[in-house]
Amino acid sequence: MWAIVGLGLGYMTPTVVFDTFGMVSRDTNNVVPLAYLVALIVMMFTAISYGKMSGAIPSAGSAYTYVRESIHPNVGFMVGWTSLIDYVLLPMVNCLIIRSYLEALFPEIPGWIWVVIYCAVVTTVIYLTMRGTSNINMMLLVFSIVVMAVFVVMVIAQLAHASADGQSVPLVQPFFHDGVTLGAVLTGATIVCFSFIGFDAVTMYAEEAKTPKIMPRAILLTVIIGGAIFLIAAYFTQLRFPSSSVFPTEAIEDSTLPEIGLQVGGPVLQAVLTAAGFCATLASGLASHASVSRMLLVMGRNNVLPKRFFGYINPKTHTPTFNIVLVGLISLLAAAFTLELIAAFINFGALIAFTFVNISVIAWFAIRRGMRKTPKDIFSYIVLPGIGMLLTGVLWANLHADALIGGVIWTAIGFVYLLVLTRGFRRKVAAFDENQPVTGFNKAIK
């Protein structure tokens, strides 16, 4: 169970709380911890639903599989298609964060150069071998958390020194003060949902778990521990930086991590904190790049996408080279976008998936299995997932306008494509969950 929790936390990348701190502080009127608390509450309801579905359907595929089995294959396809935007854009986010780190350390070098170098290196590594990064995941996770703990201790020491000098430290202000509005907090919670993306990824290990019974606990623990890390880091960072105005505009748009490290501990902490973020982001980048390349391969092999291109495996490297290069080319767009906008696009797909997982609990347990006759069943399989569905829907409605427009367009394309694949719903749609076996691919990942 703890190995699965560690993989989930590593996928969540704990240092991302510093990357998005500036933009969330600006958008919430400086109550970042409150935004994380709201997001954590929403995610806990959804995590409970993921746990129930992973126990009922102990197979890989996550939201796509749950919706396909509990509601309908065509609805499952649409949820999977919408979630595909997360897979495709996550490598770009990692590239964008790495770019911001290197720009802060080497401001004289144009950012697009770092984007090109990063994409070339990561694409080449995965082109040659898709060996998983889980071997070093725990080491990188522990390193990141230790550095974050050192950061918190330094902030506490600085606040204590300020208090000794007669400067007041308002301990409640990071959660509430004059000028805070519910709409702003919900907007911030929508942004920081991006930080939690990854807790649902542990469902991909359902088939490898010693027993399916540990999956619900592993999912909930991943959310609670990850949320606690985010809350603690955000709280002390907000105490140290009560206003986002101390950060440069370009740092707020991309990543405030290097600036936070510099202002708290000078160049040394800036370098150490940036190194922690760099390692965690690079590991996440390798994993997400390989992950989407494999999912595109499965879609190609099942004729969901053109097989000749997306289903091709290089006979020498045993990797889906066309897909890997395509994802690398898409990641080059990190030179032209901000973290806030890309995170919003990713949250669109994630929140759709989260909403339908909550609906799947109602469909599978309350409707298909008739578990709605006792107060306990009604509470467990209708009320709890219903609350989770409503809460994720509220966050979805508060997404960035451009993300809503782009997400709706992407969903519409998927619907038209579904009509073509099923010939007007006259035949079944093919499966395309990421962990579906692919003949001839094993050598690439062993």
Side-chain angles (χ1 to χ4, degrees), residues 154-432:
M154 291 183 67
V155 169
I156 291 174
Q158 292 177 4
L159 293 174
H161 185 268
S163 180
D165 289 343
Q167 300 179 28
S168 62
V169 180
L171 299 179
V172 182
Q173 187 167 315
F175 287 100
F176 179 79
H177 57 260
D178 291 339
V180 176
T181 63
L182 178 60
V185 173
L186 289 175
T187 298
T190 302
I191 297 173
V192 301
C193 275
F194 166 74
S195 306
F196 287 88
I197 290 177
F199 85 85
D200 57 315
V202 302
T203 58
M204 294 189 297
Y205 305 105
E207 295 174 11
E208 285 74 32
K210 289 183 178 180
T211 168
K213 293 180 180 179
I214 70 173
M215 289 307 299
R217 284 182 293 164
I219 294 169
L220 194 58
L221 279 172
T222 300
V223 171
I224 292 173
I225 295 173
I229 293 172
F230 292 140
L231 264 176
I232 293 170
Y235 176 73
F236 285 103
T237 305
Q238 193 75 80
L239 282 178
R240 177 62 175 77
F241 300 99
S243 174
S244 62
S245 61
V246 298
F247 301 118
T249 302
E250 59 272 15
I252 291 176
E253 294 295 332
D254 290 331
S255 171
T256 43
L257 182 145
E259 189 67 26
I260 288 172
L262 179 64
Q263 294 194 36
V264 171
V268 174
L269 183 62
Q270 181 189 40
V272 174
L273 192 60
T274 301
F278 190 95
C279 290
T281 305
L282 181 60
S284 178
L286 287 166
S288 60
H289 195 128
S291 181
V292 67
S293 299
R294 191 191 191 288
M295 186 170 188
L296 293 172
L297 172 65
V298 172
M299 295 176 73
R301 284 297 174 92
N302 290 341
N303 290 309
V304 176
L305 292 174
K307 185 174 182 178
R308 180 169 301 214
F309 183 93
F310 291 97
Y312 173 79
I313 293 180
N314 190 308
K316 293 183 179 180
T317 62
H318 305 285
T319 55
T321 52
F322 293 161
N323 298 341
I324 292 168
V325 172
L326 175 63
V327 175
L329 292 174
I330 293 174
S331 297
L332 287 173
L333 295 174
F337 287 94
T338 64
L339 178 59
E340 182 177 16
L341 183 58
I342 299 303
F345 276 111
I346 290 175
N347 284 339
F348 177 91
L351 290 171
I352 290 291
F354 294 165
T355 300
F356 273 91
V357 168
N358 285 303
I359 296 174
S360 295
V361 172
I362 300 174
W364 180 265
F365 291 98
I367 298 176
R368 284 181 178 265
R369 300 182 62 184
M371 300 176 69
R372 55 181 186 273
K373 299 176 182 177
T374 66
K376 181 181 178 182
D377 286 347
I378 292 173
F379 180 75
S380 297
Y381 305 122
I382 297 178
V383 175
L384 283 180
I387 293 173
M389 178 184 66
L390 290 174
L391 291 177
T392 52
V394 169
L395 293 185
W396 183 85
N398 283 273
L399 278 171
H400 193 290
D402 290 340
L404 284 172
I405 295 171
V408 169
I409 292 173
W410 176 256
T411 303
I413 293 172
F415 183 76
V416 173
Y417 193 49
L418 177 63
L419 284 174
V420 174
L421 286 176
T422 59
R423 296 178 181 176
F425 302 124
R426 289 194 296 270
R427 69 178 185 182
K428 291 183 178 180
V429 63
F432 63 92

